[in-house]
Amino acid sequence: MSHTALSPRQALSALRGLQTRAGKHRAHLSRRIGTAAAIQSLTEPPRPSPHPDPIPAPPARPSRRDLLKDAKPFSDFLTDTFDRQHDYLRISLTERCNLRCVYCMPEEGVPLSPPRELLTTPEIVMLSSTFVSQGVNKIRLTGGEPTIRKDILPLMQQIGALRSHGLRELCLTTNGIALHRKLEGMVEAGLTGVNLSLDTLDPWQFQIMTRRKGFDAVMKSIERVFELNRHGAGIKLKINAVVMRGINDREIIPFVEMTREKDIEVRFIEYMPFDGNKWNEGKMFSYAEMLDRIREQFPGLEKVRGHKNDTSKTYKIPGFMGKIGFITSMTHNFCGTCNRLRITSDGNLKVCLFGNAEVSLRDILRESNGGEPIDEEVYEVMKNIEMDRRQQISSDDSPYLELAPNERKLLDVIGMAVKRKKAKHAGIGELEHMKNRPMILIDSRRLSRASGIQFSVWNSAIHPPTASTLGNLIPWLPTLPNGSAHNQQLRYFSHTTSRPSEEREATRLTHVSESGSAHMVSIADKEPSKRVAKAVCSVHFTNEVACRLIKENQIKKGDVLGVARVAGIMAAKRTPDLIPLCHPIAISKVSVDLGVHEDENGGGRVEIEATVACEGKTGVEMEALTAASTAALTVYDMCKAVDKSMSIQGLRVVLKEGGKSGRWVDGVQKNLIPDA
């Protein structure tokens, strides 16, 4: 006798269908019987019972929850030894990110995995399908920044198709920079929730904390969510803000105000330790402190009952549309109800955010393809083979239906990893010393491989905006020497990798990281000192007309020297906006001097000298060069109508003072004694 072999998913679907049809039939039959009995009781007089003994009551019907529990036991593969059922899966789609948040990653980025080591789209879909078949009903796509993945929309469409197999929620964690451009397509693919990371509502502070621009794009994405929700999209929007003492803790109340008229949940996250973010307990602003600060302003704050697996403690202010939450991983862990698993972008299963134990699922998947990545073409072939296998005749009498060989192995490895999950993660005193990924790589493994090679960990020192207002709050803020400018703004978030030798340091480009990407030079350990730089250049004319008109102030566009002087001063102050790797600093002096000189041969020139000074941790050569060149460009622009052949020449730094290298004049070091 032969029969058709069904996969566990097909069997499960069939079982559900039978249960549903049987349930509907029983309900319909009960309604008919109940209605007939009610009509009979109204139209006929009561009859004496032929039996003197009372009829025993029918047994109580089991509750719907009991029926569901009996119908589908939760997968043993996803249940740990503490009976925690893991029905929530987070999948990293990429290691890359378009921001460089100070608590997350070094500004120069992190060593990226070779493309072949990362999960392909078919591999992500296969893993998603496997986990959903075992009871996962919520999938969150993370990164890096998931929206920068080129195939994010077709990938979400394929994962969204798993809703017919038990997936209930498809969510996204994003920084919001590119979300507004793709959100509509994501909603069509089945997106149900967005967690948007936003640590400040101040555009300037945003640029400092993320080391990139993009605040307006993030706000546009938030408004786009609200717009689509007004049309019925039903996206659950949560704003996640990591709170750091002395950096953005003053913005807690403005974030709370966002919930006054918007149906949004703002969640405050305790600053957590990861490789490269220089965590210490002094920087962490605790849940209790946040709560106290909010209650000072809103004493009516009340706790909201949440789901047992919620990561945040939720509160609400009476009269406000939205809610606020607190993710308290450091001071009040929620490990006892943890239902989350993570898959890194290179295919490792991570059962705990703070754990450093990982196991590769990617390698098991690729066994069926000779260890090579599974692309779309291979995936189609594998699907056809699987369909043929399911249609084959089988006489197996085993108690369970067989899976494909590597899927069975995959589940075994997943089950063993889940069973090894600890009751809770380490406490504050231990976490900061544990080896773990940088937060940006929490979903992609680049720690030591079998070869023993490790990537270097970068520093991520954080300095507050001003020394005078925040110095007392933050013990690690360096003290400026006496006489420094009041409320002087410090240069922020600059990093470099460790250098193996002085010889390499002398020959290496300081603005290029070990991986070849551009980055800012570290000034974290430098002492502030007086810095001066002077740059010169000149605009050369081919006739005497331009010089004469400039002297007589007869140029049609106006006062050439006056406008050029102002342009140079403004440019010096905007240097960090123009030169990507130049730090923003507080300049104490800018002067731009221009002089007109006529030549005996009939030509002439405007000589420009720009001097910039500051009290800070790094030199101001770039500010001086920017001032001089911009002044020259302004002269060129205002005089181009009278001399089409003029040229700008000789832009260079002629004086540099301050810092360890001392005093330099025309590129020659004049003293070897470094300034303090």
Side-chain angles (χ1 to χ4, degrees), residues 8 386 389-390 401-410:
E386 174 66 8
R389 187 190 69 83
R390 292 181 179 183
L401 296 171
E402 290 188 3
L403 302 171
N406 67 329
E407 189 171 356
R408 166 60 61 180
K409 183 176 180 180
L410 195 67

Side-chain angles (χ1 to χ4, degrees), residues 534-537 591-595 606-611 624 627-628 631 654:
K534 183 181 295 184
V536 299
C537 67
S591 65
V592 179
D593 299 316
L594 299 96
V606 174
E607 294 187 349
I608 302 167
E609 181 181 275
T611 305
V654 296

Side-chain angles (χ1 to χ4, degrees), residues 539-541 557 560 564 608 629-648:
V539 182
H540 290 253
F541 300 104
K557 288 190 175 182
V560 174
I608 302 167
S629 59
T630 303
L633 289 170
T634 304
V635 172
Y636 188 103
D637 177 62
M638 298 185 73
C639 298
K640 61 188 179 184
V642 296
D643 191 346
K644 304 292 187 184
S645 300
M646 61 180 164
S647 61
I648 299 174

Side-chain angles (χ1 to χ4, degrees), residues 90-334:
R90 299 171 65 96
I91 305 175
S92 171
L93 302 185
T94 178
E95 296 175 341
R96 299 178 182 273
C97 187
N98 45 11
L99 296 181
R100 295 292 182 271
C101 298
V102 296
Y103 55 81
C104 184
M105 68 186 298
E107 62 185 323
E108 64 267 48
V110 293
L112 298 175
S113 301
R116 66 170 284 110
E117 291 188 9
L118 302 177
L119 290 174
T120 65
T121 293
E123 289 168 348
I124 293 173
V125 173
M126 291 169 70
L127 287 173
S128 300
S129 178
T130 298
F131 276 90
V132 169
S133 74
Q134 298 302 307
V136 164
N137 55 47
K138 179 178 180 179
I139 291 179
R140 178 174 298 280
L141 304 178
T142 68
E145 173 50 42
T147 60
I148 66 176
R149 185 171 173 125
K150 293 181 180 179
D151 63 347
I152 178 69
L153 291 180
L155 173 58
M156 290 184 67
Q157 289 168 358
Q158 294 182 71
I159 297 176
L162 296 174
R163 286 175 291 181
S164 60
H165 298 280
L167 183 67
R168 297 175 187 170
E169 297 181 66
L170 177 57
C171 304
L172 185 78
T173 294
T174 174
N175 60 33
I177 296 290
L179 179 64
H180 59 89
R181 298 196 299 266
K182 303 178 179 182
L183 186 59
E184 190 169 345
M186 290 178 174
V187 172
E188 292 176 355
L191 180 69
T192 59
V194 171
N195 285 9
L196 194 147
S197 300
L198 179 64
D199 305 308
T200 176
L201 299 174
D202 179 352
W204 169 242
Q205 183 75 359
F206 178 91
Q207 187 172 345
I208 292 172
M209 296 187 72
T210 66
R211 304 186 184 104
R212 297 291 187 272
K213 295 182 179 180
F215 179 81
D216 292 340
V218 176
M219 300 310 292
K220 185 175 181 180
S221 292
I222 293 175
E223 289 302 320
R224 183 64 174 151
V225 172
F226 289 140
E227 180 184 353
L228 291 180
N229 279 346
R230 286 193 291 270
H231 290 84
I235 306 169
K236 296 179 182 177
L237 177 61
K238 298 177 182 179
I239 303 294
N240 289 342
V242 176
V243 181
M244 293 176 283
R245 189 182 307 280
I247 303 297
N248 64 339
D249 57 298
R250 65 184 182 278
E251 296 193 61
I252 290 176
I253 299 303
F255 270 113
V256 172
E257 285 288 348
M258 291 181 69
T259 69
R260 185 184 292 273
E261 297 179 354
K262 298 288 187 181
D263 185 14
I264 187 173
E265 182 175 347
V266 176
R267 306 195 302 178
F268 300 108
I269 303 175
E270 290 180 336
Y271 184 33
M272 296 177 282
F274 296 97
D275 277 1
N277 72 354
K278 299 288 286 186
W279 183 93
N280 68 56
E281 193 169 352
K283 298 178 188 178
M284 190 191 72
F285 203 81
S286 71
Y287 158 56
E289 292 175 284
M290 297 183 220
L291 206 56
D292 289 343
R293 180 167 295 187
I294 296 172
R295 278 182 168 148
E296 288 177 3
Q297 187 79 17
F298 304 102
L301 184 69
E302 56 189 29
K303 185 81 178 289
V304 176
R305 184 177 180 181
H307 189 273
K308 69 172 184 176
N309 296 125
D310 285 348
T311 58
S312 67
K313 298 172 175 60
T314 309
Y315 289 77
K316 186 174 179 62
I317 299 172
F320 281 34
M321 288 185 63
K323 295 177 288 187
I324 60 175
F326 302 91
I327 298 180
T328 60
S329 300
M330 301 307 298
T331 60
H332 297 77
N333 72 65
F334 36 84

